[in-house]
């Protein structure tokens, strides 16, 4: 049985976001039962996610030219696809988790600490979504369009490098 590598689907992204939301909901529920405060997400999290997304966008811009010139080693291409899929899933998971986190503290935003949690959470959601988008761009950059080939197997659908 032959398996082919396919682009990440919206269903997979939604599943990752839902999993993040469920995990965060469970963690916040456990914190409530144990009567402990939920951790405060540091500003370094969204900052690092944005930096990772920027680096990924820059890397993704180099891939098509290198593919065209056949200067992209197979091992690097596989690593790029794995990185792309990981960024998509991780970004969706973190965005889903932080959506629940923000929702938990939004009603108490008049207080200083919940407001800080909400703002960092919103920034993390945006940064996580940026990471997922960067992964999507990288994944698409790794695809080869076989539509200009004459082979019978190449019916115009893009394939992973």
């Amino acid at each position: 049985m032959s398996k082919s590598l396919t682009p990440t689907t919206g269903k997979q992204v939604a599943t990752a976001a839902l999993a993040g939301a469920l995990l965060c909901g469970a963690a916040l529920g456990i914190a409530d039962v144990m009567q402990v405060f939920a951790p405060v997400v540091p500003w370094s999290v969204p900052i690092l996610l944005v930096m990772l997304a920027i680096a990924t966008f820059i890397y993704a811009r180099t891939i098509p030219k290198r593919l065209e010139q056949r200067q992209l080693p197979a091992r690097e291409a596989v690593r790029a696809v794995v990185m792309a899929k990981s960024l998509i899933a991780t970004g969706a998971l973190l965005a889903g988790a932080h959506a629940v986190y923000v929702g938990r503290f939004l009603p108490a935003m008049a207080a200083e600490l919940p407001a800080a949690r909400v703002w960092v959470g919103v920034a993390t959601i945006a940064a996580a979504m940026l990471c997922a988008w960067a992964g999507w761009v990288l994944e698409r950059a790794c695809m080869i369009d076989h539509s200009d080939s004459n082979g019978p197997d190449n019916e115009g659908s893009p394939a992973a490098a």
Side-chain angles (χ1 to χ4, degrees):
M1 182 162 103
S2 170
K3 290 251 182 189
S4 63
L5 187 60
T6 59
T8 305
T9 64
K11 185 177 179 180
Q12 292 167 329
V13 174
T15 301
L18 183 59
L22 291 173
L23 287 171
C24 184
L28 290 173
I30 290 170
D32 285 345
V33 168
M34 295 178 65
Q35 296 181 346
V36 297
F37 292 107
V40 177
V41 177
W43 276 104
S44 60
V45 172
I47 291 168
L48 288 173
L49 289 173
V50 168
M51 290 171 57
L52 180 61
I54 291 169
T56 302
F57 281 125
I58 292 168
Y59 180 57
R61 286 188 52 130
T62 68
I63 297 288
K65 185 176 181 180
R66 292 178 63 205
L67 278 172
E68 185 179 302
Q69 296 173 348
R70 305 231 186 257
Q71 294 179 343
L72 185 70
R75 189 171 277 186
E76 183 181 346
V78 170
R79 288 179 181 152
V81 171
V82 169
M83 184 174 109
K85 289 185 167 292
S86 298
L87 279 169
I88 293 169
T90 302
L93 187 109
L94 287 172
H98 281 83
V100 170
Y101 184 81
V102 167
R104 166 72 170 78
F105 296 105
L106 199 57
M109 199 166 156
E112 185 178 339
L113 189 57
R117 289 177 178 190
V118 167
W119 290 118
V120 174
V122 168
T124 304
I125 291 169
M129 290 171 62
L130 188 65
C131 259
W133 181 37
W136 182 84
V137 168
L138 179 58
E139 184 179 56
R140 295 320 182 261
C142 292
M143 297 171 92
I144 300 171
D145 187 8
H146 291 292
S147 61
D148 57 352
S149 300
N150 295 335
D153 295 332
N154 303 326
E155 293 296 320
S157 64

